[in-house]
Amino acid sequence: MAILLIAEHDNQTLSVDTMRAMTAVKQLASHIEDTQTENSHIDLLIIGENCQPVAEQATHLAGLHQVLIADDAVYAHQLAENTSAFIAEMATRYSHVVMAATTSGKNMLPRVAALLDVGMLSDVVAIESDDTVVRPIYAGNVLARVKSSDPIKVISIRSSAFDAAVLEATATEGMTCASIDRVIPNDHTVFISREVAESERPDLSAARVVVSGGRGVGSQEQFALIEALADKLGGAVGASRAAVDAGFVPNDKQVGQTGKIVAPDLYIAVGISGAIQHVAGMKAAKVIVAINNDPDAPIFDIADYGLVGDLFEVLPALMTALDDAS
Amino acid sequence: MKVLVAIKRVIDPYVKVRVNKDGTGVEKANVKMAINPFCEIAVEEAIRLKEAGHASEVVVVSIGDAACQEQLRGALALGADRAIHIDISSLDLATADSPLALEPLAVAKLLKAVIEQESPQLVLLGKQAIDSDNNQVAQMLSALTQYPQATFISQLKYDESQSERPLEVVREVDGGLETLSLTVPAILSTDLRLNVPRYATLPNIMKAKSKPLTVMTPDALNVTVTMSQMVLDVFTPPVREAGEKVASVAELVDKLKNKDKVI
């Protein structure tokens, strides 16, 4: 019994989602050890092009048995068709295949499962044993405890539900990196371009503080207020679907059932009513603050601190108060 | 070209769901049902392809008991030409009240059988159903058919003159947007930004009643539905209670700084 963790990376850096999935995988491994006489082990698979820096980082990740690298131009953009076929070939040597439930994890893993003729467990928030997990359904309003009888368990991890494993200062002694020469071309899909929203701010899913704006912010220009508050707190900027649809911010900032799931220490919701679909993405935050001019907005039902008022008066005052307090 | 759209009947997205008494699923009696919002977007896109002259026929398919014909009729009223209902009421589903009753792999196998019968050039699905939140079927279907996939699409362009790869799509990915071109036949899953679905008009709702709707069974499609996941129980997560209203910005900063120590 062994676990294959698929790395999420940009050919340069191992993403924080992988570090969080690693924590889940370690829990999984501990359950396998409970039930099996032989020791289980965890291998990390890195698929990409010129992704050697990622492999180097991975050797600093405690708990891994081996780092496997498939480095080829055909895997540069991690297109689902060939990347999944490759993972499925590798998977036959493992009892579990795991990846963070990022957009690439969501894109690839169901394909891997279907190629192996097994089911998949999506967005897992708790590991109960080697075959039983908890996952949210209905926008997180219900949790389901699901037991899989598949010979290979394919699992995606909701990273906000697990703490991130840390990279050790020194590489793990005896950890080996193995290159795997297996090139599967992709004849049907061609990568054309990628538009990445550049930002100096911390990554939304990893930020300690998130300041989110909704329809109430009013315009793209006025969203600068949200950004200014986020910068003052060293946080990331999030948004409700309404703010994204209205064009105030790009789609990758959307927090919610179908956007990003975040669990920061502090979540400040500004001009967001608190629809079920938005709350699904942020209700695991430690402290929730709601700023809204509608005292009946549902967001106040889950906020630790609610401030009823006009955001255009509250936010500037809040920034001044933060200056004074620091 | 022919476009196939798979749709799912789900609890209306604005309904607050409740776990049933025995913890096997959620209360479905007298609960408002609707077409899954992502599926609605897929139907809309297919109809727009037809209006643009790219699609000759739009076929909608749904898997479920007889009740899902309501959503199929809804899709016909929006402009689909023909509907297929795969009736699974004869299957012995242990947790029929759970949205996890029919697993995505089984759905994908049933849809693959429909694709073999219908030979569409394009298959459109929602990126996820808002009940089971799996986000799996389109990808699984693509693996089973060996068709290329583009998931979470927010733009679709179809250009016949590009004979090799007539499809160009923009995908919503972490960190931004990604553009791909694909051969056809292909499997696509829709994100929210792809379009804004139209409403059905009363005359179209009336017309939809006479559009063809075929009922099939898994047996007739030669698909054996097997289950590998058992739902042990479902339960309500800890409820987050409302906190307090603060009267001023100063009070808020004080609480965050001195009580919760988060700033």
Side-chain angles (χ1 to χ4, degrees), chain B residues 186-201:
Chain B
I187 313 272
L188 307 176
S189 84
T190 62
D191 216 315
L192 290 170
R193 245 77 57 186
L194 184 59
N195 60 48
V196 178
R198 70 193 68 189
Y199 292 99
T201 59

Side-chain angles (χ1 to χ4, degrees), chain A residues 107 111 254 285 304-305, chain B residues 109 142 149 151 193 240 260:
Chain A
N107 194 36
R111 272 193 90 95
Q254 186 178 330
D304 298 282
Y305 302 113
Chain B
K109 286 178 179 176
S142 170
Q149 76 178 40
T151 50
R193 245 77 57 186
R240 192 167 185 129
D260 298 288

Side-chain angles (χ1 to χ4, degrees), chain A residues 47-169:
Chain A
I47 310 168
E49 186 189 23
N50 299 326
C51 52
Q52 212 59 41
V54 186
E56 206 283 321
Q57 286 163 36
T59 59
H60 292 253
L61 197 51
L64 286 182
H65 170 68
Q66 209 180 181
V67 177
L68 308 167
I69 316 149
D71 195 318
D72 194 280
V74 296
Y75 303 125
H77 304 290
Q78 300 183 5
L79 297 173
E81 293 82 0
N82 54 342
T83 310
S84 302
F86 174 65
I87 298 170
E89 284 183 9
M90 297 287 295
T92 54
R93 286 173 249 165
Y94 295 86
S95 58
H96 297 75
V97 178
V98 181
M99 190 170 177
T102 55
T103 46
S104 39
K106 289 172 179 172
N107 194 36
M108 285 188 244
L109 278 192
R111 272 193 90 95
V112 173
L115 293 172
L116 296 168
D117 196 29
V118 299
M120 174 182 163
L121 298 160
S122 288
D123 254 312
V124 165
V125 295
I127 309 281
E128 299 219 324
S129 75
D130 65 328
D131 64 2
T132 304
V133 299
V134 177
R135 56 174 305 262
I137 54 177
Y138 290 104
N141 289 301
V142 179
L143 294 174
R145 188 175 282 115
V146 186
K147 183 184 169 81
S148 162
S149 60
D150 283 315
I152 302 173
K153 276 96 179 155
V154 179
I155 298 171
S156 72
I157 297 294
R158 175 167 293 188
S159 45
S160 65
F162 296 88
D163 292 330
V166 288
L167 292 174
E168 305 292 332

